[in-house]
Amino acid sequence: MRSIRKIVLSLTLIGLIPISSFGDGIPFNRNFSTDSAKDSTAFVQIRQIMDNIREKRPTVALVLSGGGAKGAAHVGVIKYLQEIGLPVDIVLGTSMGGLVGGLFALGYTPDQMDAIMTKMDWQSAMNDKIPREYFSYSQTKYNEKYLLSIPFYYRKRDFIAQRADEIQYSSGDDKYDRLKLSADADASQMIKDNLLGSLPSGYIFGQNVSNIISALSVGYQDSMKFSDLPVPFVCVSTEMVTGKAKIWYDGKLPIALRSTMSIPGIFSPVKIAGMVLVDGGMRDNYPADLAKQLGADIIIGVDLSSGYKTYGDINNLGDIISQGVDMLGRASYEQNVKIPDVTITPELSDYNMLSFDPASIDTIMSRGYDAALKVSPKLMELKNRIGNDRQILANIPAINVNEEPVTLASVDIVGIKDKEKEFVMKKIGLKAGDRVTKSIIDQAVGRVYGMGAFDFVTYELRGEEEPFNLVFSTKRGPVNQFGIGARFDTEEVVAILINIGLNVHRLSGSAYDFEAKIGTNPYAQFHYSFDTPSIPTINGVSSIRWTDRNTFSIGQSNLKIAYWNIRNEIYFSNMRWSMFDIKAGIRNDYYIAKSVMADQVIGDYDLNNLKNDYTSLHFSGRADTFDDGYFPNEGYNVGGEYLWNFYGIPNEFKPFQTVKFDATTVIPANRIFAIIPSLNFRFIFGNNAPLIYSNMIGGSMAGRYQDQQIPFIGINNVKAMRSNVVVGRIDFRFKVFKNNYLTTVFNAVDDFDSFKAVKLSSTIFGTGVEYAYDSIVGPIRLNLHWSSATHRLGAYFSLGFDF
């Protein structure tokens, strides 16, 4: 009988007999998968492996269904199976079941998988964020004031190259030729495809989760047969073009795992070999039928389905996505749920597919173990049928570079042109012979991704043993961006910020950036920059700004002032540096006062200087190591500015200089309490500086109406100060709940015309208390305050980012 089976298998391999013609497996559905001919051949090869095991005992398959965070229950099930010594000859999975099944197939023990699940930063895995320190200073500040930023339009050559890579079909099949872009393609259609194609295809690209998988699968990242893993493995993805299943039994394991768990709407699809691959649950969320076709005698299934949802069960994004996936894969699920010999069903009704917080993951794993324990009699019955044969891994387990450093044989990067490669390789900063861990590689990823030119930066450690070849893969992103920001507050009511940047995400060359604010005090700015790796960035900026202040106080005088400011400047900067900004250049400011009304004489100030043209040399520098722009938990922000204003027309004045300095640091006392001291000063050297350059304090936002405005709690509007001003402040901030902050603020200011005439008796004190919530649309803040300058209680409310 055994010899007859081998003859039949041989004939099947050369295509003379279809796979459905032998064995007691479920007939292979040729309309089910993307490549039925190749699948048939692969299935026969896997059945041969199962037949070899069958000579000693019945074969066992473990089938793990998808379910998002609920998939952590699979770890508990595997732990129990290992405890009773029940071998698993092949593991099949979909979505999160595919990820856990992949870890098991890589040779990880249940305890190791438990530690991986517990220690994993799921919040990082579910987004593509990298630490703030890796972005350029200019990009960081951009992110801190725009609510929404949409990149658009790839460079033509990048767009064509990417499409060519995506449609290259590895089997040589030409059925995807219709997707190819010819050299003479209609230009308007190409522009349309480019614009639409540059829009995000998911909430995140999946860069972080791809790199997490790479870190866990070292030694098995080359193209290979998954039957050569320590435990043979198969997983399923859904192909969006044909609507069929992509059955993964060979290829690159990290890509297979990334695609099987590409939840639509959350992760961008994996585009490879002419296929658009998303979560396998949309086609086959419980691949017990494949286990049967692959020759398993005994099938153990872990079913995470919570049944059909009712009206009250669909309440959040996780429920909606889960229901959508279940609806599309319901037919195959209802067929496959009847197949396993033993079905394990953890009780997870109080969790959903997005329950990735550490406490939930730990509980879900425990419930998986408990569910396996409940069916212990059935599992022990299977164990008795199998005998005492213990599982022996076919190959050595994968290396986890989170825990174990490895040596590099080489370092390379793909996806960029040769002329840019040298520059990017310097950013990577790794070389052959280095010993690396995941954290070291992640730093290199952060430095490259933070350049802002790529949709994603992932890596592989190729090779079967040390030293490994580290290869970074990149995809050039859209070069342009559109941004929009908004703020509502009690000082300007509503303000809208709009940005259009052209070529701003190129690695080098010219960029054009337009920004406009719409509101009570509008402005428009055009910024041209030229950037190369070898010289500082050259900048040219032109802007026009309208300022209308109903309350502007100078001593005991109150003014109503409205004016235009037209500014032109040329300067050098370092736009590629992170956490540090430096600028040096020449500036011209033209002020046109439209109305100035004072309730009394305002001292020595010459109001004619509000209609004048000023030319100055400008230098500034800033270091910002905060981990968050609005609610930092660590770091410091230190900056200084020097201005030499040397020429004015038509109203001449004596040249004067200004020096400004500010410093803020965070002193964390514990997880909920921090002390935040800060110091600001600005000195004017020279006599009778124009009013527009006078020292100013007030409000919650630095530079709101004039560059030199220093925030001061207790004064809502703007108050002019004497030639030298020093402001000290200390915040006591409590994190009362997640994203909720309560802060008590004390500040004081002193001003004087001469350092010899400092009188602390003129010091103004201010205090306030602020509640803030760090929301998705920007900080929501409400403060109540008082100062010795106003002697009355004031309030300020804002919703949105500062700009």
Side-chain angles (χ1 to χ4, degrees):
M1 183 68 182
R2 188 180 302 155
S3 61
I4 294 174
R5 177 178 289 274
K6 288 183 176 180
I7 292 172
V8 173
L9 290 173
S10 299
L11 292 173
T12 306
L13 282 171
I14 62 176
L16 296 180
I17 300 178
I19 190 172
S20 57
S21 300
F22 68 88
D24 55 358
I26 296 174
F28 186 77
N29 182 354
R30 291 186 176 273
N31 294 319
F32 176 76
S33 68
T34 56
D35 195 338
S36 58
K38 183 181 177 183
D39 294 346
S40 296
T41 302
F43 277 35
V44 170
Q45 294 170 342
I46 296 173
R47 288 183 71 108
Q48 285 182 309
I49 296 172
M50 304 294 276
D51 282 344
N52 292 334
I53 298 171
R54 191 177 290 108
E55 293 179 359
K56 300 178 182 179
R57 58 167 175 78
T59 58
V60 181
L62 177 63
V63 178
L64 307 177
S65 66
K70 294 189 292 184
H74 297 314
V75 176
V77 171
I78 293 172
K79 182 176 183 180
Y80 183 78
L81 297 181
Q82 295 280 285
E83 285 181 356
I84 65 174
L86 203 157
V88 175
D89 302 307
I90 186 169
V91 59
L92 301 92
T94 296
S95 193
M96 191 65 168
L99 178 62
V100 175
L103 294 177
F104 180 53
L106 285 164
Y108 287 100
T109 66
D111 288 340
Q112 289 173 326
M113 287 191 285
D114 187 302
I116 289 169
M117 292 287 171
T118 303
K119 295 178 181 178
M120 186 177 296
D121 184 353
W122 290 104
Q123 184 175 0
S124 174
M126 296 301 290
N127 63 58
D128 283 336
K129 291 182 179 178
I130 62 171
R132 186 172 180 261
E133 64 190 82
Y134 294 117
F135 289 107
S136 68
Y137 181 87
S138 58
Q139 184 63 46
T140 297
K141 295 306 166 186
Y142 181 93
N143 295 340
E144 288 175 1
K145 62 183 181 180
Y146 283 96
L147 172 63
L148 180 66
S149 178
I150 302 174
F152 67 94
Y153 207 79
Y154 296 97
R155 287 188 303 180
K156 182 178 178 180
R157 68 170 182 261
D158 292 332
F159 180 67
I160 294 175
Q162 289 167 14
R163 284 298 178 93
D165 289 341
E166 291 168 1
I167 66 178
Q168 184 179 1
Y169 200 60
S170 58
S171 67
D173 196 329
D174 62 356
K175 62 185 176 180
Y176 291 96
D177 283 349
R178 64 186 183 275
L179 298 177
K180 293 184 179 178
L181 295 175
S182 62
D184 58 350
D186 180 76
S188 61
Q189 183 62 40
M190 184 177 292
I191 292 173
K192 178 182 177 182
D193 291 344
N194 193 333
L195 285 171
L196 295 177
S198 62
L199 295 176
S201 54
Y203 176 66
I204 59 173
F205 281 98
Q207 168 180 288
N208 288 353
V209 75
S210 292
N211 291 335
I212 288 170
I213 293 170
S214 291
L216 296 170
S217 58
V218 178
Y220 293 97
Q221 294 182 16
D222 295 302
S223 188
M224 60 175 294
K225 294 180 180 179
F226 296 169
S227 57
D228 292 335
L229 289 164
V231 178
F233 174 66
V234 172
C235 67
V236 181
S237 302
T238 301
E239 207 284 293
M240 295 290 285
V241 175
T242 62
K244 295 181 179 181
K246 163 61 180 173
I247 304 172
W248 287 96
Y249 40 76
D250 67 3
K252 292 198 171 186
L253 181 66
I255 294 177
L257 296 180
R258 166 67 176 83
S259 69
T260 190
M261 58 181 297
S262 292
I263 304 170
I266 295 181
F267 293 104
S268 293
V270 173
K271 292 186 174 183
I272 184 173
M275 295 179 290
V276 181
L277 302 175
V278 296
D279 194 291
M282 299 176 67
R283 194 66 181 86
D284 192 358
N285 199 42
Y286 195 41
D289 54 340
L290 299 182
K292 203 69 173 175
Q293 293 166 18
L294 291 169
D297 300 314
I298 298 171
I299 299 175
I300 301 169
V302 184
D303 181 11
L304 301 180
S305 173
S306 55
Y308 298 145
K309 288 183 172 61
T310 64
Y311 176 85
D313 296 326
I314 303 176
N315 301 305
N316 54 49
L317 179 62
D319 296 333
I320 293 170
I321 294 174
S322 176
Q323 179 71 351
V325 172
D326 288 347
M327 287 172 60
L328 292 169
R330 184 169 294 170
S332 63
Y333 168 77
E334 291 178 345
Q335 173 185 331
N336 294 344
V337 74
K338 306 170 186 177
I339 296 174
D341 298 274
V342 176
T343 300
I344 300 170
T345 55
E347 170 49 48
L348 301 171
S349 58
D350 45 344
Y351 296 96
N352 63 46
M353 67 185 304
L354 298 180
S355 300
F356 282 107
D357 60 281
S360 296
I361 291 293
D362 187 63
T363 302
I364 290 169
M365 287 191 291
S366 297
R367 292 193 182 181
Y369 183 92
D370 293 341
L373 189 62
K374 285 183 180 180
V375 295
S376 178
K378 294 182 179 179
L379 294 174
M380 291 306 299
E381 182 181 341
L382 295 180
K383 177 67 173 62
N384 292 333
R385 283 177 56 190
I386 294 168
N388 294 321
D389 186 40
R390 304 290 294 189
Q391 183 159 356
I392 300 175
L393 298 182
N395 289 295
I396 61 172
I399 298 172
N400 179 359
V401 292
N402 290 283
E403 309 288 345
E404 183 179 346
V406 296
T407 302
L408 301 180
S410 65
V411 181
D412 196 9
I413 186 167
V414 298
I416 59 176
K417 302 297 181 182
D418 290 340
K419 66 179 182 180
E420 297 171 334
K421 191 171 184 177
E422 182 180 355
F423 172 50
V424 178
M425 287 296 291
K426 289 180 180 179
K427 283 282 187 180
I428 291 173
L430 299 174
K431 62 185 184 304
D434 286 348
R435 294 279 286 174
V436 298
T437 59
K438 182 179 184 295
S439 62
I440 293 174
I441 301 174
D442 283 347
Q443 291 171 17
V445 169
R447 289 191 291 270
V448 177
Y449 184 70
M451 298 171 75
F454 304 101
D455 279 341
F456 60 77
V457 180
T458 58
Y459 67 87
E460 297 174 306
L461 284 159
R462 297 176 183 173
E464 297 180 2
E465 57 185 19
E466 286 192 85
F468 294 100
N469 299 304
L470 176 59
V471 179
F472 293 90
S473 297
T474 64
K475 178 188 174 186
R476 293 298 292 267
V479 295
N480 308 323
Q481 71 184 8
F482 169 77
I484 186 166
R487 184 184 68 249
F488 168 82
D489 66 20
T490 51
E491 199 158 328
E492 290 187 277
V493 187
V494 176
I496 305 294
L497 192 64
I498 298 173
N499 168 257
I500 298 176
L502 304 179
N503 291 336
V504 292
H505 290 300
R506 296 179 67 174
L507 289 175
S508 60
S510 296
Y512 311 87
D513 195 76
F514 174 77
E515 182 176 88
K517 175 187 172 185
I518 303 170
T520 305
N521 294 276
Y523 72 81
Q525 174 180 283
F526 175 77
H527 181 182
Y528 167 81
S529 62
F530 180 78
D531 193 34
T532 67
S534 56
I535 65 172
T537 303
I538 302 171
N539 302 267
V541 178
S542 293
S543 64
I544 181 169
R545 180 180 190 131
W546 170 256
T547 300
D548 187 353
R549 296 308 309 130
N550 288 326
T551 305
F552 182 84
S553 60
I554 302 176
Q556 301 302 313
S557 304
N558 292 310
L559 285 76
K560 293 182 179 180
I561 183 170
Y563 59 87
W564 289 101
N565 170 215
I566 300 173
R567 173 176 291 181
N568 293 283
E569 54 186 328
I570 298 174
Y571 61 90
F572 293 96
S573 70
N574 57 298
M575 292 186 69
R576 293 294 181 192
W577 293 2
S578 62
M579 298 187 295
F580 190 75
D581 180 56
I582 188 168
K583 296 177 181 178
I586 188 167
R587 174 186 296 172
N588 179 267
D589 281 299
Y590 181 42
Y591 289 95
I592 310 171
K594 303 304 291 184
S595 64
V596 179
M597 298 177 61
D599 57 5
Q600 54 184 294
V601 178
I602 59 172
D604 296 331
Y605 288 108
D606 183 357
L607 296 183
N608 289 324
N609 283 328
L610 286 173
K611 297 180 180 180
N612 211 27
D613 185 277
Y614 302 91
T615 301
S616 59
L617 294 180
H618 175 264
F619 174 83
S620 66
R622 181 165 298 277
D624 182 356
T625 67
F626 282 156
D627 58 348
D628 184 88
Y630 290 94
F631 304 99
N633 296 304
E634 60 183 8
Y636 59 85
N637 189 321
V638 178
E641 177 185 71
Y642 169 78
L643 186 75
W644 178 37
N645 209 317
F646 61 87
Y647 182 72
I649 188 173
N651 299 308
E652 295 183 0
F653 60 88
K654 292 182 179 181
F656 64 93
Q657 303 169 69
T658 66
V659 175
K660 185 177 183 295
F661 174 83
D662 65 89
T664 304
T665 189
V666 179
I667 305 173
N670 50 47
R671 294 177 60 187
I672 64 172
F673 176 63
I675 302 172
I676 309 174
S678 62
L679 173 69
N680 278 265
F681 65 74
R682 185 171 184 264
F683 302 146
I684 301 175
F685 299 96
N687 297 322
N688 299 322
L691 175 62
I692 206 69
Y693 289 97
S694 65
N695 291 320
M696 303 178 185
I697 66 169
S700 299
M701 193 185 308
R704 182 166 197 154
Y705 301 111
Q706 280 295 117
D707 297 338
Q708 68 267 30
Q709 182 178 344
I710 300 173
F712 190 84
I713 194 78
I715 298 175
N716 262 354
N717 294 289
V718 179
K719 179 177 177 61
M721 309 297 286
R722 286 182 285 186
S723 297
N724 304 290
V725 61
V726 180
V727 178
R729 171 170 168 160
I730 187 166
D731 293 21
F732 299 96
R733 190 189 68 195
F734 295 86
K735 186 175 183 179
V736 290
F737 302 107
K738 182 179 179 180
N739 297 332
N740 288 262
Y741 301 88
L742 185 64
T743 305
T744 301
V745 182
F746 299 94
N747 55 196
V749 59
D750 204 350
D751 65 332
F752 44 91
D753 288 322
S754 169
F755 287 96
K756 296 180 181 180
V758 177
K759 295 181 180 179
L760 295 181
S761 59
S762 64
T763 302
I764 299 173
F765 296 95
T767 186
V769 59
E770 178 180 89
Y771 163 77
Y773 175 69
D774 189 9
S775 78
I776 193 172
V777 296
I780 301 173
R781 293 174 288 197
L782 172 64
N783 71 55
L784 301 176
H785 53 256
W786 176 91
S787 77
S788 58
T790 62
H791 293 285
R792 62 174 179 268
L793 190 66
Y796 174 74
F797 172 81
S798 71
L799 165 61
F801 298 111
D802 292 344
F803 53 83

